[in-house]
Amino acid sequence: DTGVSQDPRHKITKRGQNVTFRCDPISEHNRLYWYRQTLGQGPEFLTYFQNEAQLEKSRLLSDRFSAERPKGSFSTLEIQRTEQGDSAMYLCASSLDQGWRTQYFGPGTRLLVL
Amino acid sequence: GQQLNQSPQSMFIQEGEDVSMNCTSSSIFNTWLWYKQDPGEGPVLLIALYKAGELTSNGRLTAQFGITRKDSFLNISASIPSDVGIYFCAGQQTGNTGKLIFGQGTTLQVKP
């Protein structure tokens, strides 16, 4: 059983550019979460999908951020007009509907905005 | 955002020693999870706790869900160099979204 995968693992971009990250959850996991982690801190919740429905968004998710999960499988997180404060590790996690309380994380995408 | 209070912030111990770390909150949680994170990687699940008072082991690791549902601890026995990393507690509150609230992490260094 393969784990959660994320692509790319690293992204360097200039301020003002748009970036998109992809997450592939564990097969048959219908719950998918995005978190953001800054240096020296624990991950912070951004948003949650159950199948293709986005059911909760954090206040951290400004209008420059958009997440999708069009077919209930992989998900994308897009950041428009990136700012230096967006530099962080973006983590994806997935879980089953039954056993939803146990989340498994991917390796993350490290974003650096210059 | 809301975070759990995790302590200690860091520990530097000798190989073979036992380690204890804990997590507290002013709010009630219905699930506690403990993760380990290596530099540049995502958190790896170590132990999951689902009921108040529950005590669960995973090899040399033991974790407990506090009776008050506001705390949890993790013990590592007979530490080895590969235990080095950052340990995070994470809790879930009542509700069905499952979003996790994380502590700030305990950095563990083990001297061979």
Side-chain angles (χ1 to χ4, degrees), chain A residues 53-72:
Chain A
Q54 188 174 18
L55 297 184
E56 185 171 350
K57 291 195 289 187
S58 161
R59 282 173 293 178
L60 290 176
L61 214 65
S62 76
D63 56 7
R64 295 185 297 107
F65 287 69
S66 63
E68 293 184 342
R69 196 183 182 197
K71 297 182 180 178

Side-chain angles (χ1 to χ4, degrees), chain A residues 9-10 31 33 35 37 40-45 48 50 55-56 60 89 91 93 97 99-108 110, chain B residues 1-3 30-31 33 35 37 40-45 48-51 88 92-93 95-105:
Chain A
R9 292 293 311 275
H10 305 275
R31 295 188 180 217
Y33 304 82
Y35 293 83
Q37 185 177 26
Q41 301 295 317
E44 292 182 288
F45 171 79
Y48 151 64
Q50 185 163 3
L55 297 184
E56 185 171 350
L60 290 176
M89 173 83 95
L91 293 161
D97 249 351
W100 55 268
R101 292 194 277 177
T102 305
Q103 292 179 29
Y104 299 89
F105 282 82
R110 169 77 67 188
Chain B
Q2 180 185 2
Q3 286 203 325
N30 63 9
T31 300
L33 304 172
Y35 290 88
Q37 187 174 29
E41 299 294 330
V44 173
L45 182 65
L49 302 160
Y50 304 113
K51 285 172 51 176
F88 288 99
Q92 291 172 340
Q93 295 179 302
N96 202 26
T97 67
K99 75 179 180 188
L100 294 174
I101 297 169
F102 279 81
Q104 291 177 310

Side-chain angles (χ1 to χ4, degrees), chain A residues 1-13:
Chain A
D1 193 19
T2 56
V4 178
S5 61
Q6 292 187 245
D7 183 69
R9 292 293 311 275
H10 305 275
K11 179 71 178 179
I12 300 174
T13 191

